[in-house]
């Protein structure tokens, strides 16, 4: 099993550009999450999904959109990137809501 | 409010020393889950352990051990006979229970950077 994978690993954007980060898991997990990690801020939840076709806002959702069209995929979109969105983005998944979350390798995004 | 505090920002030890990473949490819920994750220099987050609030048994896994004490709201992590490969940032996390506004959310501490010198 590949576990949780993320595409791309690195990306540089200009302010105003858009992009989509892809997260895929092959563990048949129901729950999926997107976090961002910033120095001194720890990890913060952006959006999450409790199953195929569902999404919900986390604690820092502004400027991001998500979709969960297939159970194994969770997409994070930035419609108009801003320098404040420069961060490392982690996707995670868990089998049930109380189970441990398994994380992907992260995507390092820089917005100039 | 839920909160996780890892007061030790950085710890430096010499190989083979034992080291304890502290984690103190705050929550009003009676049911909750605690986790430890390791983030090595390569950047990925590696799950180490999950503990629920009803299980106060300490756990040992090889050189790793965890001491959960509800009376002091602490979930400390000890590495015995540390090795250079243990060098990483270690995060303690608290899981917000179902029914709150952020279901499934993990509240992370700020992390403790452990450096093990040869």
């Amino acid at each position: 099993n590949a576990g949780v994978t993320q595409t791309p690993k690195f990306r540089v954007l200009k302010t105003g550009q858009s992009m989509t980060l892809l997260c895929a898991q092959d563990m048949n997990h129901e729950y999926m999450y997107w976090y961002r990690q910033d120095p001194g801020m720890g990890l913060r939840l952006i959006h999450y999904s409790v199953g195929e076709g569902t999404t919900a806002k986390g604690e820092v959702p502004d400027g991001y959109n998500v979709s969960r069209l297939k159970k194994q995929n969770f997409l994070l979109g930035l419609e108009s990137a801003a320098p404040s969105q420069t961060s490392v983005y982690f996707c995670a998944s868990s089998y049930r809501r109380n189970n441990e979350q398994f994380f992907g390798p992260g995507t390092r995004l820089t917005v100039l | 409010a839920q909160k996780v505090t890892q007061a030790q920002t950085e710890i430096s030890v010499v190989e083979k020393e034992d080291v304890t990473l502290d984690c103190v949490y705050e929550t009003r819920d009676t049911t909750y889950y605690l986790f430890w994750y390791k983030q090595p220099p390569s950047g990925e987050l590696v799950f180490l352990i999950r503990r629920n609030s009803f299980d106060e048994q300490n756990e040992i896994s090889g050189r790793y051990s965890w001491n959960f004490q509800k009376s002091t709201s602490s979930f400390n992590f000890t590495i015995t006979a540390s090795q250079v490969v243990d060098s990483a940032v270690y995060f303690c996390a608290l899981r917000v229970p179902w029914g709150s506004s952020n279901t499934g959310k993990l509240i992370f501490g700020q992390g403790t950077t452990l450096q093990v010198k040869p």
Side-chain angles (χ1 to χ4, degrees), chain A residues 18-37:
Chain A
S18 63
M19 77 163 295
T20 300
L21 282 67
L22 172 63
C23 175
Q25 52 93 6
D26 61 1
M27 297 176 283
N28 200 35
H29 285 175
E30 290 292 335
Y31 294 74
M32 296 187 75
Y33 317 82
W34 275 107
Y35 291 89
R36 60 178 288 174
Q37 183 179 30

Side-chain angles (χ1 to χ4, degrees), chain B residues 65-81:
Chain B
S65 62
W66 290 269
N67 182 2
F68 176 33
Q69 292 197 344
K70 288 178 74 171
S71 60
T72 56
S73 297
S74 65
F75 186 40
N76 296 339
F77 173 32
T78 297
I79 302 174
T80 303

